[in-house]
Amino acid sequence: MKINKLLYLHIFFWTIYVIGAVLIPYFIFNSKNTIFNITFFITSIICFYINYFIVVPGFFDGDRIYKSVIVFFLSASCFVGIRYCMEELFLPAFFGIRNYAEGTKFIYYFFDNIFYSSTTIFISTTFWFFRYFIDAETEKTELVKAKKTAELQALKTQINPHFIFNSLNNIYSLIYQKSDKALPAIEELSKLLRFSTKDLEQEFISLEKEIGYIDSLTALEKLRIKNPELLIAEKNISYPTLPVSPMLLVPFVENAFKHGDFRNKGFVLKISDEQKILHFYLHNFKKEKMKDSGSGIGIGNVKKRLEILYPKKHELNINESETEFIVDLKIDLKNG
């Protein structure tokens, strides 16, 4: 898009140039020097783009400004030389006309035309710098995007093993207790793995699928806790196809199950998408004796991904005390 705008700038410049240097003198002022205005225009185009495509990109050196200044004056001098060859050598030889009086010294011609040539070369150089900064900005944007993509991919690879590790621990506990819930737990885990291995490769999935992760995780965890009725989940979804990054909400629910107190208390989970604003609220009570504090990969992971994917479009508030853990997350998905 920016390159197209630069092309329009070139077209605009040369349109104004033709109107001012050729058409107005001919049609309004009845100039008899039209042939010389045309040769000046042709020379300008040739020198403009030689400077634009070859001279400036080949010799510009930001660390040695003097080198660039020297090249600028050499380009302007070449402009004068080419115009001199066309007006004072080519036209007299083939058409018997010349712009300056016969016998005019080249040194006079040079200083009489250096201003016009310098103006054209200056504009050509300015246009090249526009292009240079556009290319540099585009490259910078692509590098930032590539870095974000690589970082997101690295973050995603952290999610799956961490999630599997916790689930296997739960199933191991059920098997150790010889619980009848072990086989259903394995079935639920296999369902989750089918979800995650397929959808984690995608940049975005539907909100419906993300909530499906949470439902499957909840079903899996309900098999091991004694009071599943303490889990209160309220979902009010009007836009199930809204795109959202995969496994963005699951780590919070997983954290609640990992550190929550489900003997006498459970958790309250609310998910809504009113006006395409995803609102995720989770309130759980913590165990008196917390598990290893170094296992919080999931929460930190989500924070980083939110910063990358939804800058200035999300609000995350986490309130933690000795007995409670509250997550209140809002994400604007309107332009997702």
Side-chain angles (χ1 to χ4, degrees), residues 251-262 267 282 284-285:
F252 293 117
V253 181
E254 181 192 16
N255 183 71
F257 280 118
K258 183 178 178 64
H259 299 298
D261 181 0
F262 296 104
F267 70 55
L282 177 64
N284 71 277
F285 293 89

Side-chain angles (χ1 to χ4, degrees), residues 308-327:
I308 294 173
L309 291 167
Y310 303 100
K312 299 180 180 180
K313 294 182 67 176
H314 78 278
E315 181 181 344
L316 175 62
N317 294 308
I318 297 178
N319 297 314
E320 183 175 7
S321 67
E322 292 184 0
T323 58
E324 295 176 282
F325 192 85
I326 301 173
V327 177

Side-chain angles (χ1 to χ4, degrees), residues 201-254:
E201 296 176 357
Q202 301 181 36
E203 187 175 359
F204 294 98
I205 60 172
S206 67
L207 178 58
E208 187 177 34
K209 282 190 176 182
E210 179 71 6
I211 293 175
Y213 287 146
I214 295 174
D215 290 340
S216 295
L217 175 60
T218 303
L220 176 63
E221 295 289 352
K222 278 184 176 180
L223 295 173
R224 72 173 180 88
I225 62 179
K226 296 180 179 180
N227 301 307
E229 68 279 359
L230 295 176
L231 309 183
I232 301 173
E234 298 177 6
K235 287 169 284 186
N236 183 18
I237 304 301
S238 302
Y239 306 95
T241 59
L242 279 177
V244 65
S245 181
M247 289 289 190
L248 197 63
L249 307 178
V250 173
F252 293 117
V253 181
E254 181 192 16

Side-chain angles (χ1 to χ4, degrees), residues 1-248:
M1 188 65 181
K2 292 182 179 179
I3 297 299
N4 289 338
K5 289 181 179 179
L6 189 58
L7 176 62
Y8 297 148
L9 183 61
H10 280 256
I11 294 173
F12 175 77
F13 169 72
W14 288 115
T15 301
I16 298 298
Y17 203 102
V18 170
I19 293 172
V22 179
L23 299 182
I24 290 179
Y26 180 76
F27 289 104
I28 296 180
F29 299 108
N30 297 318
S31 175
K32 297 180 180 180
N33 295 323
T34 301
I35 184 66
F36 301 115
N37 293 335
I38 293 174
T39 58
F40 178 69
F41 175 68
I42 294 173
T43 305
S44 297
I45 291 179
I46 293 172
C47 294
F48 184 100
Y49 286 107
I50 288 176
N51 182 72
Y52 183 82
F53 286 112
I54 300 174
V55 178
V56 181
F59 296 94
F60 171 71
D61 189 345
D63 296 328
R64 300 176 181 178
I65 299 299
Y66 71 90
K67 181 179 177 181
S68 300
V69 173
I70 292 173
V71 171
F72 173 83
F73 283 108
L74 287 176
S75 294
S77 301
C78 289
F79 181 104
V80 176
I82 293 174
R83 187 183 182 193
Y84 180 84
C85 290
M86 293 184 68
E87 293 184 347
E88 305 304 318
L89 298 179
F90 178 80
L91 291 180
F94 291 93
F95 299 97
I97 57 174
R98 61 191 328 130
N99 193 13
Y100 284 69
E102 187 174 358
T104 300
K105 301 292 184 181
F106 176 76
I107 190 69
Y108 175 84
Y109 185 95
F110 178 86
F111 283 106
D112 196 43
N113 286 272
I114 191 67
F115 171 77
Y116 303 105
S117 63
S118 297
T119 302
T120 302
I121 297 302
F122 175 78
I123 295 174
S124 172
T125 303
T126 302
F127 275 34
W128 181 85
F129 274 109
F130 283 159
R131 180 185 175 187
Y132 175 81
F133 286 119
I134 287 174
D135 290 343
E137 187 65 26
T138 301
E139 183 179 357
K140 180 181 177 181
T141 301
E142 289 177 353
L143 286 173
V144 170
K145 185 177 180 180
K147 182 180 178 182
K148 286 184 177 180
T149 301
E151 186 174 351
L152 280 171
Q153 194 58 43
L155 290 172
K156 284 182 179 180
T157 59
Q158 291 180 2
I159 295 173
N160 210 17
H162 182 63
F163 175 71
I164 295 171
F165 176 78
N166 287 338
S167 299
L168 287 175
N169 266 351
N170 295 336
I171 293 173
Y172 174 81
S173 177
L174 292 174
I175 294 174
Y176 182 79
Q177 297 170 16
K178 297 181 180 180
S179 171
D180 294 336
K181 297 178 180 180
L183 288 178
I186 294 174
E187 184 179 353
E188 289 295 339
L189 177 59
S190 66
K191 188 185 300 184
L192 282 168
L193 290 177
R194 282 195 298 272
F195 280 139
S196 63
T197 53
K198 179 181 178 181
D199 293 324
L200 269 179
E201 296 176 357
Q202 301 181 36
E203 187 175 359
F204 294 98
I205 60 172
S206 67
L207 178 58
E208 187 177 34
K209 282 190 176 182
E210 179 71 6
I211 293 175
Y213 287 146
I214 295 174
D215 290 340
S216 295
L217 175 60
T218 303
L220 176 63
E221 295 289 352
K222 278 184 176 180
L223 295 173
R224 72 173 180 88
I225 62 179
K226 296 180 179 180
N227 301 307
E229 68 279 359
L230 295 176
L231 309 183
I232 301 173
E234 298 177 6
K235 287 169 284 186
N236 183 18
I237 304 301
S238 302
Y239 306 95
T241 59
L242 279 177
V244 65
S245 181
M247 289 289 190
L248 197 63

